[in-house]
Amino acid sequence: MTPGILTINRYTRFRDEYSAPNNTAPGFKKKPDDYRKLFEANTDDSFRIGVTISRTQITLFSKFYSSDIIIASPVGLILTMQEQKEFDCDFLSSIEMVILERADIMMHMQNPNHLEQILSYLNRYPKSTNDTNFTRVRGYTLSGKSCEYCQTIIYSPFLSGEINKIFHQYSYNKAGQVKIIEARFLPAISACINKISIHLEKIDCKQLELISDARFDYFEKKIFPKLRDTIQPNTLIFIPSYFDFVRIRNLFLKEEVDCEFLHEYTTRKDVKKSKKKFATGKSPYIIYTERVHFFFRINFSTIKQIIFYGPPLYNQFFSEFVNMLQHTDSQCTLLYSIFDKFEIERIVGKDNSKAIMNSNSSNHMITL
């Protein structure tokens, strides 16, 4: 790519700031492969580096206005804009290629507003000239059509409604749009070892903006009364969205049902306390978010029942929890809607997903 490069300027600074020893946290080596690959070294999510390339050298940490490449996280770019005396996003006005590496993490495991905010600033007219050499400015830029010539590349291990949204909303290239989706994949149920039955219960809702309320109403009326009136020990409730987690947490607190709550902001000390209460039966229920599992991969050895408030985004999480069910009478319930097509497909496979989604029945059972 750069055969004539002889010098890399500020490499020592780069190494000092971004290198990190391997993760030595207790139990790290026992975590799944995908977790170890993602969290084995520097996991700082607030980084930003400008890179300038010439015929003979690469300069790291160059100013963004003179950089050929900007490597940054969404929160890193937001902080850069906010650190100026006046909010400054002009350095994004001449971007010709955008590569979103692991868009799934940016949209689902971090604050998605940061990414959408940055994408909305791309190829705008700058507020100031910033020493621009106008002899090099292309005509379509002056005409306000830079976005039509910007190439946007989005990488993600899976497709979701939110990723679809940014793909269509912020890809303006006049040449069109292309999706390349892996045609063959192993569904999550193929990795499930335990022979149990999975009960799928459909939430009847045909409007996307109402699905959150519809899902909560279904849980409150159909699922929660059973948990409240007849204590079912060692039940874990898996909730993909933090906002849904807050609603369910408030419901349990309001009805004074003893329960533990684990989310990404829970301290390791409190995690240990909650796991102990859950294992000994002092707390029959744990409300657990997908984000806390993404960041910590907590293992439970005493789960008898798991209720998926919604299908997990990462299909491996489904099989991980099903494989934690070690009791002969273990139960697994999965709530879903027509808007969970991508997630259900990754869990049960394309053929099963198609049959479930096209069925008039609201209840299905898959026996592993």
Side-chain angles (χ1 to χ4, degrees), residues 225-241:
K226 301 175 185 177
L227 302 176
R228 178 191 59 200
D229 300 337
T230 305
I231 297 301
Q232 301 176 36
N234 303 105
T235 295
L236 184 143
I237 302 171
F238 182 100
I239 304 181
S241 165

Side-chain angles (χ1 to χ4, degrees), residues 31 235-242 244-245 248-249 259-264 266 271 274-275 285-300 303 306-310 317 320-321 324:
K31 302 290 185 182
T235 295
L236 184 143
I237 302 171
F238 182 100
I239 304 181
S241 165
Y242 180 77
D244 289 331
F245 166 82
I248 298 301
R249 179 188 64 187
C259 185
E260 297 299 308
F261 308 102
L262 297 183
H263 51 84
E264 65 266 36
T266 306
V271 168
S274 295
K275 284 188 66 177
Y285 306 119
I286 277 188
I287 313 296
Y288 187 88
T289 67
E290 182 160 10
R291 282 193 178 187
V292 72
H293 195 64
F294 178 85
F295 287 111
F296 299 108
R297 296 294 176 89
I298 301 170
N299 186 58
F300 298 89
I303 299 177
I306 181 168
I307 299 171
F308 288 95
Y309 187 78
F317 293 178
E320 285 176 14
F321 275 101
M324 292 181 199

Side-chain angles (χ1 to χ4, degrees), residues 53-106:
I53 302 175
S54 67
R55 292 182 179 180
T56 59
Q57 63 182 5
I58 292 177
T59 300
L60 305 176
F61 299 99
S62 56
K63 292 182 179 180
F64 283 176
Y65 281 104
S66 59
S67 296
D68 297 299
I69 301 173
I70 296 174
I71 303 172
S73 64
V75 67
L77 285 180
I78 293 294
L79 289 174
T80 298
M81 299 173 193
Q82 294 175 343
E83 287 171 355
Q84 310 304 316
K85 292 182 179 179
E86 294 185 8
F87 188 83
D88 182 14
C89 62
D90 282 357
F91 60 88
L92 297 176
S93 64
S94 58
I95 300 297
E96 296 181 344
M97 177 182 288
V98 179
I99 300 176
L100 302 182
E101 174 64 29
R102 293 301 301 264
D104 57 301
I105 296 176
M106 291 185 267

